Amino acid sequence: AQRVTQPEKLLSVFKGAPVELKCNYSYSGSPELFWYVQYSRQRLQLLLRHISRESIKGFTADLNKGETSFHLKKPFAQEEDSAMYYCALLYSTDKLIFGTGTRLQVFP
Amino acid sequence: DTGVSQDPRHKITKRGQNVTFRCDPISEHNRLYWYRQTLGQGPEFLTYFQNEAQLEKSRLLSDRFSAERPKGSFSTLEIQRTEQGDSAMYLCASSLGAGVGYGYTFGSGTRLTVV
């Protein structure tokens, strides 16, 4: 069955430190993966999708099919990166399955 | 604001009462999704529409839940005989199409508390 696992509920770093938010998935087909972010008091919004191979707000994520991972990385964290981050897998073309999320806290 | 709108933002109801939520998607989006999010969990898929047709319902959607999108525009989600376990954030999202090329736009959600 399809599943998305985010093993860390909370990740705390200091400003300027590197960040890696972990995401592992289980899916029998070809995975389409996303990272969504929710800033305080704001709605859930798309951060990036693996197919675009893009960097948004300094974040990147590489799909590793061998390790079934899609970790989110940023070399230098900023205070404004503090938010809830969700990894999501698209299945059956239409539906997203989300992980439980990781709260990133960036201290000054 | 041309985003996805949800109404109400908060709803407190007594157990056993019926509640109805509304979602107004982005006008040109033909797909509309309902998700539910409980504390400490990510959003979970409930159901979705393409235009006015309801294409799929999750096992999470018991017989007490019904969703409609009568004219392919706004959608309503009704919960009958609410239970405390229905307390959650109900999220609506819309998209222009299906598949990885089409991102979801989420609304702010309706937080339901059943007392």
Side-chain angles (χ1 to χ4, degrees):
Chain A
Q2 54 277 349
R3 185 182 299 121
V4 174
T5 303
Q6 293 180 252
E8 303 143 326
K9 286 190 179 298
L10 174 66
L11 182 63
S12 298
V13 300
F14 286 101
K15 176 183 172 181
V19 168
E20 183 179 55
L21 300 168
K22 291 184 168 49
C23 172
N24 289 89
Y25 67 89
S26 173
Y27 186 56
S28 56
S30 183
E32 305 290 357
L33 289 149
F34 304 81
W35 277 98
Y36 280 79
V37 61
Q38 188 167 28
Y39 301 102
S40 179
R41 297 190 182 88
Q42 294 188 26
R43 62 190 66 190
L44 197 59
Q45 57 187 283
L46 178 65
L47 179 62
L48 57 79
R49 65 193 84 186
H50 94 269
I51 197 170
S52 301
R53 297 184 178 276
E54 57 202 345
S55 174
I56 303 294
K57 300 184 179 182
F59 284 97
T60 59
D62 291 319
L63 177 61
N64 185 323
K65 291 186 178 181
E67 296 183 358
T68 60
S69 68
F70 186 57
H71 303 329
L72 183 68
K73 300 178 184 179
K74 185 170 183 176
F76 308 104
Q78 302 299 314
E79 289 179 68
E80 56 265 30
D81 296 329
S82 295
M84 197 75 184
Y85 291 81
Y86 294 95
C87 182
L89 169 72
L90 185 71
Y91 72 101
S92 299
T93 306
D94 305 290
K95 301 175 291 291
L96 289 173
I97 180 168
F98 288 84
T100 51
T102 298
R103 180 170 299 282
L104 175 64
Q105 288 182 331
V106 182
F107 295 109
Chain B
D1 183 359
T2 57
V4 177
S5 299
Q6 291 190 246
D7 183 69
R9 293 292 299 272
H10 304 274
K11 178 71 177 178
I12 300 175
T13 190
K14 290 184 178 180
R15 188 175 53 186
Q17 298 294 305
N18 300 343
V19 294
T20 300
F21 311 139
R22 177 179 171 125
C23 171
D24 287 89
I26 293 173
S27 58
E28 60 266 29
H29 285 187
N30 57 26
R31 294 217 164 206
L32 185 148
Y33 304 82
W34 285 98
Y35 281 76
R36 181 174 70 184
Q37 185 173 20
T38 53
L39 201 61
Q41 301 297 316
E44 297 173 293
F45 170 79
L46 292 179
T47 187
Y48 81 99
F49 295 82
Q50 178 164 310
N51 299 315
E52 65 275 11
Q54 188 173 17
L55 296 186
E56 187 171 340
K57 295 192 292 186
S58 160
R59 292 179 288 109
L60 294 176
L61 219 61
S62 75
D63 292 344
R64 297 184 296 105
F65 288 71
S66 62
E68 294 182 340
R69 194 182 181 196
K71 296 183 179 178
S73 56
F74 72 91
S75 175
T76 58
L77 178 68
E78 181 184 15
I79 309 174
Q80 295 182 328
R81 304 181 304 281
T82 52
E83 302 173 355
Q84 287 189 320
D86 297 331
S87 295
M89 176 73 86
Y90 290 85
L91 297 170
C92 177
S94 68
S95 70
L96 195 53
V100 67
Y102 299 95
Y104 284 30
T105 301
F106 279 89
S108 298
T110 293
R111 182 170 296 283
L112 173 67
T113 302
V114 181
V115 298

